[in-house]
Amino acid sequence: MPSYQLQVVGYVRSPYKQKFAIPRQPGLIAEAKAELVLEKGYDDDAMVRGIEAFSHLWLVFVFHETAGKGWSPLVRPPRLGGNAKKGVFATRATFRPNPVGLSVVKLEGVLRRQGRLVLQLSGVDLLDGTPILDIKPYLPYADALPDASGGFADSAPETDMTVSFSEQADAFCQRQQQVPELRLLIEKVLKQDPRPQYKKQRSDTQSYGMTLYHFNIKWTVNGGHNHVTEISLQPDNSREPADAATEPDNTGD
């Protein structure tokens, strides 16, 4: 069979530092801001001329964290409780014959920083450091099909999860100025209930941790309620969360 060599045109700088807590589809959390930094050779202003006329972009990317773990013809979509199996081509699972994904993001702006060409994005569902293979404009007349059927994922995922913040966590969000929408971002991420499916059946209090941008967030889950217990700045010499999250289950619909 023929094979093709593809070039990485840029890398995403995302608030999501591990798979855990990434929304399973793009656009679910508008407050998730990111940047696509184009690589040398592809950061020519001519290559993005006219791009700001489009509100949204398609990004073709590599599932770089799971690319070396192989693939399976059958997967267990989290939307179906992690029990029913579907064909890999009937899902957006990460474990594919070719570890390539497709994501639609909102374009917030184009700028140069320290000589590098940067696309500012929002509504992302991409892991920090994701390699981008291609960028294409989103065309509403062709890409938005209101009569299309979404199979077992016909509507956006919803939960009844609620979220509260400790005094320390609430004060931290108000005091920091680097991410104005940090509190809302945390709240929306937790309302998505990023826990692995098997953890959602437990009735005991569970403790979790994650990193968003450069903040360590700790919280507990009891029934249908999330309580953010602590938020802190991440140490400069570490990009790992202060409290490791449970096994990630973010395999897409």
Side-chain angles (χ1 to χ4, degrees):
M1 292 185 292
S3 61
Y4 302 91
Q5 184 175 1
L6 303 177
Q7 302 298 315
V8 174
V9 301
Y11 291 90
V12 168
R13 293 176 179 170
S14 161
Y16 303 114
K17 306 304 180 182
Q18 62 274 128
K19 284 177 60 182
F20 186 75
I22 298 179
R24 292 193 171 94
Q25 297 299 336
L28 294 177
I29 303 179
E31 293 74 18
K33 306 294 178 63
E35 294 184 342
L36 170 51
V37 183
L38 296 176
E39 287 287 277
K40 292 182 178 179
Y42 304 104
D43 62 348
D44 186 338
D45 290 333
M47 296 189 70
V48 296
R49 182 184 300 170
I51 199 170
E52 289 176 287
F54 299 93
S55 65
H56 291 73
L57 303 172
W58 287 109
L59 301 182
V60 182
F61 65 92
V62 178
F63 289 111
H64 63 294
E65 190 172 87
T66 58
K69 298 180 180 179
W71 65 280
S72 173
L74 291 173
V75 296
R76 301 176 185 270
R79 180 69 73 92
L80 299 178
N83 296 317
K85 290 184 177 182
K86 295 291 182 180
V88 65
F89 291 146
T91 75
R92 297 191 178 189
T94 61
F95 300 101
R96 318 186 69 80
N98 293 304
V100 177
L102 187 64
S103 185
V104 62
V105 298
K106 185 176 181 181
L107 177 63
E108 298 287 357
V110 181
L111 56 83
R112 278 200 177 272
R113 183 185 299 118
Q114 297 178 341
R116 304 297 297 276
L117 187 58
V118 177
L119 303 185
Q120 296 177 302
L121 312 171
S122 66
V124 300
D125 63 339
L126 300 173
L127 184 67
D128 187 52
T130 292
I132 302 300
L133 300 177
D134 201 5
I135 305 164
K136 300 177 186 292
Y138 178 93
L139 303 179
Y141 80 89
D143 297 335
L145 305 175
D147 297 327
S149 172
F152 63 84
D154 201 38
S155 60
E158 296 181 357
T159 74
D160 296 324
M161 301 291 285
T162 55
V163 182
S164 64
F165 289 72
S166 69
E167 289 187 8
Q168 185 277 338
D170 187 60
F172 185 96
C173 289
Q174 294 184 47
R175 184 173 64 251
Q176 67 82 32
Q177 300 179 351
Q178 297 165 305
V179 182
E181 297 180 316
L182 178 62
R183 193 182 195 282
L184 184 57
L185 173 62
I186 295 171
E187 184 174 344
K188 286 193 173 184
V189 167
L190 296 185
K191 282 186 174 181
Q192 294 285 319
D193 196 2
R195 295 176 296 165
Q197 190 63 36
Y198 72 94
K199 291 283 189 180
K200 298 178 183 181
Q201 313 305 320
R202 291 172 47 176
S203 59
D204 59 320
T205 299
Q206 305 165 47
S207 297
Y208 295 92
M210 65 179 174
T211 302
L212 291 176
Y213 293 108
H214 46 276
F215 303 109
N216 289 322
I217 296 102
K218 296 182 180 181
W219 78 100
T220 60
V221 182
N222 191 317
H225 183 70
N226 299 281
H227 182 63
V228 181
T229 57
E230 182 183 348
I231 304 176
S232 61
L233 276 173
Q234 189 180 44
D236 292 338
N237 61 350
S238 172
R239 298 182 65 182
E240 294 299 319
D243 186 17
T246 60
E247 177 186 356
D249 189 35
N250 194 22
T251 53
D253 284 329

